[in-house]
Amino acid sequence: MRILSGIQPSGALHLGNYFGMMRPAIELQEQGEAFYFIANYHSMTSLFDAAERRRNSLDVALDFLACGLDPEKSVFWKQSDVPEVAELTWLLSTMTPMGLLRRCHSFKDKMDKLADGDEEKVNHGLFAYPVLMAADILLFDSNVVPVGRDQKQHLEVTRDIAIKFNNTYGDTFVLPEPRIQESVAVVPGTDGQKMSKSYGNTIEIFGEEKAIKKKIMSMVMDSRGVDEPKPDADQNFGIQLVRLVAPADVAREVEEKLRAGGYGYGSLKKDLFGFCWEYFADAREKRAELAANLDYVEGVLKRGAERAREVAADVLARAKKAAGLD
Ligand code: ADP
Ligand code: TRP
């Protein structure tokens, strides 16, 4: 089984990224041949600062390795070090109906945010983004793609493109399946909405202690007092986060205390911070070691790119042959 996923270097990684994509990806590296990459080409659709992209890419590498990506088990590289993906994107783009891309939520959301849908302000890369993502996946004969729920539609687009290519030029691409962990499909942010960089409601995995504490303590719930019982405790978004970062029995206890009354939101938030900080303690230590050993990290990415390129070259040659480009 070949497993593949990517993550954009567009800012500090947060609990949504970790529980939605990174942890499932790290668990899957035990079950097959895992291919994970830093999607720096994708980040070009919305980040226009070269130094920031460079810095973020290194940060993502450190974060992912610190959280448990094992370079002995997984191939790990920077997307732009395997430029075959850009060539495959062209082949696939000729198989992609415009309507399919226009219907993508990620694109529609960006358009809706613009006054009177001003298309001039949206770059073609953003529109074509799902085609690049399809190329990422199909270039490696991927079977399984671990992602959060927001990427499900992009996987459907990938499958549609692969089917159309296969029907047009003969069987070429493997059809991938998304792997979405339902228990963490949508991790809530500090405002209760989906945690996302673009909503400014994130809790960073490797943020500063003070900053994280401040973000968690400023979470606004409802106006019920400390003593009031809260029978809907299981719906509370603080509890949903506690369930992710505390041991299961401890999380149940916290939920019961909230339900019973006599335990207020201040205590809940303080406890949540404690669990969070503890959960990533080992990873923080590992990250500090890696940050002091950047040659090692660069070496991992370089070896990963070499291995990824071997696979990519084969699949690209197969696709070019099928399309009469050999
Ligand atoms: P962001 O929304 O912060 O920009 P990305 O879109 O870069 O995050 O997401 C990277 C990966 O993390 C994707 O696989 C995505 O599905 C997952 N992910 C991001 N936010 C969440 C969340 N709140 N819950 C679950 N998964 C998430
Ligand atoms: N679009 C994904 C995101 O924003 C990142 C990504 C790019 C990806 N290429 C991919 C994820 C291929 C899985 C497979 O999160």
Side-chain angles (χ1 to χ4, degrees):
M1 178 170 78
R2 171 112 6 113
I3 306 138
L4 175 137
S5 195
I7 191 149
Q8 289 196 57
S10 44
L13 297 181
H14 52 73
L15 297 192
N17 300 137
Y18 180 76
F19 289 104
M21 182 274 192
M22 295 164 73
R23 193 179 65 173
I26 288 162
E27 284 168 4
L28 277 167
Q29 67 187 352
E30 310 298 331
Q31 290 177 33
E33 217 186 339
F35 279 63
Y36 300 133
F37 66 96
I38 301 167
N40 57 357
Y41 279 154
H42 284 272
S43 74
M44 295 185 75
T45 59
S46 49
L47 175 69
F48 305 100
D49 182 320
E52 202 177 330
R53 186 171 359 270
R54 207 170 280 120
R55 197 170 50 243
N56 285 351
S57 300
L58 180 62
D59 277 337
V60 170
L62 292 171
D63 289 359
F64 224 138
L65 290 167
C67 286
L69 188 150
D70 180 350
E72 298 301 318
K73 294 182 181 147
S74 299
V75 182
F76 186 39
W77 76 98
K78 263 198 324 239
Q79 187 180 30
S80 60
D81 288 340
V82 184
E84 283 80 359
V85 75
E87 189 172 351
L88 184 62
T89 299
W90 176 253
L91 271 63
L92 299 181
S93 75
T94 63
M95 292 284 119
T96 311
M98 296 284 281
L100 192 65
L101 296 180
R102 233 178 235 127
R103 284 192 294 275
C104 283
H105 302 305
S106 52
F107 175 70
K108 277 208 314 213
D109 291 353
K110 291 256 164 44
M111 283 301 284
D112 290 347
K113 278 195 201 124
L114 296 172
D116 58 43
D118 185 355
E119 287 209 14
E120 292 303 310
K121 296 201 181 98
V122 177
N123 65 67
H124 169 256
L126 195 70
F127 184 62
Y129 180 113
V131 189
L132 176 58
M133 182 158 162
D136 289 326
I137 295 169
L138 301 177
L139 188 58
F140 297 95
D141 287 340
S142 314
N143 305 108
V144 169
V145 183
V147 282
R149 190 186 287 151
D150 57 346
Q151 296 297 316
K152 190 166 180 239
Q153 194 184 30
H154 289 155
L155 262 294
E156 284 158 12
V157 169
T158 300
R159 289 173 60 94
D160 284 352
I161 296 173
I163 290 169
K164 188 147 181 218
F165 193 101
N166 287 351
N167 285 341
T168 308
Y169 295 120
D171 231 5
T172 305
F173 294 119
V174 172
L175 294 188
E177 300 280 347
R179 181 72 61 91
I180 298 163
Q181 266 190 13
E182 282 310 320
S183 57
V184 292
V186 182
V187 176
T190 52
D191 58 357
Q193 305 304 303
K194 174 193 176 256
M195 187 179 291
S196 173
K197 274 166 290 212
S198 37
Y199 303 155
N201 62 358
T202 55
I203 301 171
E204 281 73 35
I205 306 173
F206 296 109
E208 290 284 327
E209 184 168 4
K210 261 200 187 143
I212 294 190
K213 195 179 252 170
K214 194 167 160 209
K215 281 188 175 190
I216 292 180
M217 293 314 290
S218 65
M219 281 165 48
V220 177
M221 293 172 180
D222 54 58
S223 55
R224 283 176 290 182
V226 175
D227 292 328
E228 271 182 82
K230 298 162 187 81
D232 52 355
D234 59 322
Q235 303 298 318
N236 180 286
F237 67 95
I239 289 289
Q240 288 170 25
L241 289 168
V242 167
R243 283 199 199 115
L244 295 172
V245 289
D249 52 334
V250 176
R252 262 195 306 275
E253 261 170 47
V254 174
E255 191 179 326
E256 277 316 310
K257 282 200 283 186
L258 196 63
R259 203 186 302 279
Y263 177 80
Y265 294 132
S267 309
L268 171 64
K269 291 187 278 188
K270 233 159 101 194
D271 286 343
L272 172 59
F273 168 75
F275 297 135
C276 248
W277 195 250
E278 178 57 31
Y279 187 91
F280 291 106
D282 291 347
R284 247 189 323 272
E285 211 170 288
K286 177 93 190 284
R287 196 183 191 285
E289 281 166 25
L290 290 163
N293 198 355
L294 293 182
D295 287 350
Y296 166 78
V297 176
E298 297 290 349
V300 165
L301 292 174
K302 187 165 174 281
R303 278 195 304 283
E306 283 163 8
R307 168 73 186 119
R309 269 196 106 161
E310 287 169 13
V311 178
D314 273 358
V315 180
L316 180 63
R318 190 201 303 151
K320 288 177 74 170
K321 186 156 186 253
L325 295 166
D326 53 336

